[in-house]
Amino acid sequence: MAGPSFKFGQHVLQASCVFFKSRLSIGFVNRKPVVPGHVLVSPLRVVERFGELSSEEVADLFMATQTISGVVEKHFKGTSLTVAIQDGPEAGQTVKHVHVHILPRRSDDFPQNDDVYEALDKHDKEMGEDARWRTEEEMAEEASVLAKYFNCQVDSS
C-alpha cells in the first residue's frame, strides 16, 4: 500500500493504521492483538528505550495513552485496562521503539488474570498456523473506526 507512513523501530507503519496523532505521539492498531482492541501508542521520534525520551515526549506519550485508553475501553466494551511498556529485550521488547500497549480487559478473558503478560510476551513471536497476522486492510478498517472518536485525519508530517 502506497501513501504516507511512519517509522516504527525497524518497521514501516502505514498512516492508514494510525487513528490518533498528537504533536509528539501516535496511536495505532496492532498487527497481532492479544485481545480485541489491543492498540499501541508510540512517540513519533524513534527512540529505543523509555529513559531516552525527553520529558516533553514522556508527558505527551502518557497524555495520549490516557486519552486513547478511555476510548478503547469503552469502544471494545472492556471493564478494565492493561497498560504496559516492555522496555528492553529482557522485558520482552521486540520493536526497537518505545511503545505503550493498551489492552481492554474483561472478566475471565484469561484463565488467570496475569496470563495476559505471558500472552503479551509471546504474541508477536509465535509462528505457525495459529499465528495469523492481520492484513493492512484489516488494520486500516479498525483504525478508521477508532479515528472517528478523535476526529483524526493522519498524515505522516
Side-chain angles (χ1 to χ4, degrees):
M1 171 184 251
S5 62
F6 296 89
K7 204 79 175 102
F8 178 50
Q10 62 271 36
H11 304 286
V12 175
L13 176 67
Q14 296 302 317
S16 61
C17 299
V18 176
F19 61 84
F20 176 93
K21 185 173 183 232
S22 66
R23 196 167 68 78
L24 300 174
S25 303
I26 56 173
F28 51 101
V29 298
N30 198 324
R31 191 166 176 215
K32 191 155 185 278
V34 171
V35 295
H38 175 188
V39 300
L40 303 171
V41 186
S42 185
L44 286 165
R45 184 170 69 98
V46 178
V47 176
E48 188 171 340
R49 299 291 307 277
F50 183 73
E52 298 169 14
L53 293 172
S54 71
S55 56
E56 189 176 21
E57 287 171 316
V58 170
D60 190 83
L61 180 67
F62 277 94
M63 290 299 295
T65 298
Q66 182 181 47
T67 300
I68 292 166
S69 292
V71 167
V72 166
E73 183 176 8
K74 184 176 180 178
H75 180 79
F76 289 95
K77 297 176 177 45
T79 55
S80 297
L81 293 165
T82 293
V83 178
I85 296 175
Q86 295 167 298
D87 190 30
E90 289 74 27
Q93 182 182 17
T94 56
V95 177
K96 296 179 179 185
H97 191 151
V98 173
H99 56 286
V100 179
H101 294 263
I102 302 172
L103 295 88
R105 301 291 306 278
R106 294 189 193 112
S107 179
D108 299 323
D109 55 2
F110 288 90
Q112 298 291 317
N113 192 42
D114 283 350
D115 289 351
V116 67
Y117 299 108
E118 184 175 340
L120 189 58
D121 187 47
K122 292 180 178 178
H123 84 285
D124 60 353
K125 298 174 185 124
E126 295 175 343
M127 299 300 197
E129 205 170 296
D130 293 335
R132 190 176 93 70
W133 297 77
R134 297 197 300 174
T135 65
E136 280 187 27
E137 292 76 21
E138 290 170 313
M139 293 168 60
E141 185 178 326
E142 182 176 292
S144 175
V145 170
L146 292 173
K148 291 175 184 170
Y149 288 98
F150 305 104
N151 293 325
C152 184
Q153 293 181 336
V154 176
D155 63 31
S156 59
S157 58

